[in-house]
């Protein structure tokens, strides 16, 4: 009998929840689920958690979808006549450059002076020619993700002068950019763009760019551009981009070997209001030798061009470029030197 007493006390100390308490807890759970169903923040957090688990790479900038093609093709490298570029490094953060362009028939000779300053967070570049045309740009990184960029040019012809400001945020798997060109807060004129590029998988990224322009207060125009970039491996890239509803640009780049790269680009234009339909196709290649670089390109308009850059020493290189237009019967030829000290 003495042993039964403690057992009776232990049984009395057990707290049994009332039925009303259990009902209250059930109602609280239902309210919580109802709140999450209608709360957009809940879906945003869930989506971010899913993206973090995928560990997707950053897709890069919207305007650099065809960056491999731009470095392979000759569009940004050809010139006509004679040219000499000399650069002087004054400090680890500052250098100046002198550019001379030999005059062609009907074109006077030209000279440009440029300066570049760059540190860990800021880059500034400016140049001026003999006609006092000024071009300048600046990039400043507030953080690793947030950057501010500005470009300005003051030309002898006022219609070509412009000011562009933009902000760019680089996320873990996306890039967002907004920019304004010749924006006027008084009457709202100018050109405004907003772009967003998102990685869907480790190989595929898609994006869109919205353009709003108002050349005059009474005229407003908008257009939407779409983009896709597919990179199945490090040695090949497919890219496609629309510009509004009238232009489509597609490109394919392939790294054949450590020294050889090749690519092709197709541009299609369709303007029904002007009864205009055009297409251009170009193919090019780039080959790296031990001390030189050779580029060649051909298009469907009968143009064949090439560029040879020979590096005689780390601070001296010689350039030779040529272009033959078989349909128009026109030829261009240029030679240049690059000196850096």
């Amino acid at each position: 009998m003495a042993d039964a007493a403690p057992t009776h006390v232990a049984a009395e100390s057990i707290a049994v929840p009332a039925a009303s308490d259990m009902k209250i807890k059930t109602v609280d759970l239902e309210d919580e689920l109802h709140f999450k169903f209608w709360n957009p923040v809940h879906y945003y957090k869930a989506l971010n958690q899913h993206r973090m688990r995928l560990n997707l790479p950053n897709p890069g900038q919207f305007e650099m979808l065809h960056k491999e093609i731009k470095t392979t093709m000759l569009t940004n490298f050809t010139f006509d006549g004679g040219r000499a570029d000399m650069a002087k490094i004054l400090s680890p953060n500052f250098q100046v450059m002198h550019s001379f362009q030999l005059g062609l028939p009907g074109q006077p000779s030209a000279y440009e002076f440029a300066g570049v300053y760059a540190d860990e967070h800021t880059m500034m570049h400016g140049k001026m020619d003999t006609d006092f045309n000024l071009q300048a740009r600046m990039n400043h990184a507030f953080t690793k993700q947030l950057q501010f960029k500005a470009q300005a040019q003051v030309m002898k012809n006022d219609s070509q002068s412009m000011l562009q400001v933009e902000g760019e945020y680089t996320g873990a798997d996306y890039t967002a950019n907004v920019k304004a060109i010749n924006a006027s807060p008084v009457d709202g004129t100018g050109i405004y763009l907003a772009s967003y590029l998102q990685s869907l998988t480790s190989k595929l990224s898609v994006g869109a760019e919205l353009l709003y322009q108002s050349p005059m207060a009474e005229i407003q125009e908008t257009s939407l551009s779409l983009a896709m970039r597919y990179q199945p491996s490090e040695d090949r890239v497919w890219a496609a981009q629309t510009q509004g509803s009238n232009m489509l640009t597609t490109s394919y780049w392939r790294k054949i070997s450590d020294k050889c790269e090749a690519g092709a680009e197709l541009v299609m234009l369709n303007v029904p209001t002007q009864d205009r339909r055009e297409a251009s196709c170009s193919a090019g290649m780039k080959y790296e030798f031990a001390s030189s670089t050779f580029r060649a390109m051909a298009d469907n308009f009968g143009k064949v061009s090439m560029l040879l850059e020979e590096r005689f020493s780390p601070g001296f290189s010689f350039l030779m470029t040529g272009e033959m237009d078989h349909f128009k019967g026109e030829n261009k030829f240029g030679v240049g030197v690059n000196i850096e000290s």
Side-chain angles (χ1 to χ4, degrees):
M1 295 298 293
D3 296 337
T7 305
H8 178 70
V9 173
E12 289 180 351
S13 63
I14 297 176
V16 180
S20 59
D21 295 337
M22 297 177 62
K23 183 177 181 181
I24 292 175
K25 292 181 179 180
T26 304
V27 173
D28 291 342
L29 180 60
E30 292 178 355
D31 291 343
E32 183 179 356
L33 293 175
H34 182 76
F35 174 76
K36 288 183 177 180
F37 181 80
W38 294 104
N39 185 12
V41 179
H42 168 70
Y43 294 100
Y44 177 76
K45 291 181 178 179
L47 179 60
N48 276 345
Q49 292 175 359
H50 178 67
R51 288 164 52 187
M52 294 297 291
R53 287 194 298 267
L54 293 176
N55 193 24
L56 298 176
N58 181 270
Q61 298 175 330
F62 188 90
E63 57 189 14
M64 298 299 290
L65 286 169
H66 308 274
K67 59 183 180 181
E68 291 84 2
I69 284 291
K70 291 181 179 180
T71 58
T72 302
M73 296 294 192
L74 281 169
T75 307
N76 301 323
F77 296 95
T78 56
F79 59 92
D80 194 12
R83 193 182 75 179
D85 298 323
M86 293 178 286
K88 176 67 175 180
I89 300 176
L90 301 179
S91 71
N93 303 109
F94 183 67
Q95 68 175 0
V96 295
M97 291 170 287
H98 305 271
S99 298
F100 301 89
Q101 181 73 37
L102 183 64
L104 299 173
Q107 297 182 6
S109 301
Y111 166 76
E112 284 185 352
F113 174 78
V116 179
Y117 173 83
D119 59 20
E120 186 178 357
H121 303 286
T122 306
M123 189 281 295
M124 293 184 291
H125 174 266
K127 63 180 180 179
M128 179 179 287
D129 59 16
T130 51
D131 293 330
F132 297 101
N133 296 319
L134 174 65
Q135 300 182 40
R137 60 190 178 99
M138 182 192 73
N139 295 356
H140 179 72
F142 294 102
T143 64
K144 293 183 179 180
Q145 292 79 25
L146 182 61
Q147 292 189 29
F148 170 78
K149 303 178 182 180
Q151 296 185 37
Q153 63 181 27
V154 181
M155 310 298 287
K156 190 175 182 180
N157 186 356
D158 292 338
S159 61
Q160 299 178 354
S161 300
M162 57 87 71
L163 173 64
Q164 173 180 313
V165 294
E166 62 179 293
E168 183 175 275
Y169 186 85
T170 305
D173 58 356
Y174 68 93
T175 301
N177 181 284
V178 292
K179 64 181 65 175
I181 304 173
N182 289 342
S184 174
V186 178
D187 53 6
T189 58
I191 302 175
Y192 305 87
L193 299 98
S195 63
Y196 182 84
L197 191 62
Q198 172 72 55
S199 293
L200 297 183
T201 67
S202 59
K203 302 177 181 179
L204 177 65
S205 59
V206 297
E209 183 179 60
L210 179 63
L211 167 67
Y212 170 82
Q213 59 179 348
S214 177
M216 294 184 292
E218 299 80 10
I219 302 176
Q220 294 88 27
E221 299 177 358
T222 58
S223 64
L224 179 66
S225 301
L226 305 176
M228 180 195 71
R229 178 182 170 90
Y230 180 67
Q231 188 172 2
S233 59
E234 293 292 335
D235 60 351
R236 65 189 68 190
V237 177
W238 299 82
Q241 180 182 359
T242 65
Q243 295 182 9
S245 58
N246 300 324
M247 182 178 291
L248 172 65
T249 303
T250 61
S251 66
Y252 173 70
W253 174 85
R254 174 74 185 272
K255 187 172 184 179
I256 302 175
S257 66
D258 293 338
K259 298 182 178 180
C260 184
E261 302 174 4
E265 185 178 46
L266 174 65
V267 180
M268 294 178 288
L269 180 65
N270 182 23
V271 186
T273 57
Q274 302 178 6
D275 195 19
R276 181 184 177 188
R277 294 182 179 180
E278 298 178 359
S280 64
C281 179
S282 57
M285 57 85 64
K286 172 185 174 183
Y287 195 91
E288 292 279 356
F289 294 94
S291 60
S292 61
T293 302
F294 177 77
R295 291 181 173 90
M297 186 177 73
D299 60 22
N300 61 321
F301 295 108
K303 289 184 180 181
V304 179
S305 54
M306 57 77 63
L307 171 67
L308 175 64
E309 179 182 1
E310 182 73 26
R311 295 178 292 274
F312 294 101
S313 64
F316 179 75
S317 59
F318 174 78
L319 293 87
M320 183 172 61
T321 178
E323 179 182 286
M324 299 177 60
D325 193 329
H326 293 83
F327 291 173
K328 296 182 179 180
E330 298 178 355
N331 301 322
K332 295 180 180 180
F333 180 76
V335 292
V337 292
N338 290 335
I339 302 173
E340 182 177 332
S341 61

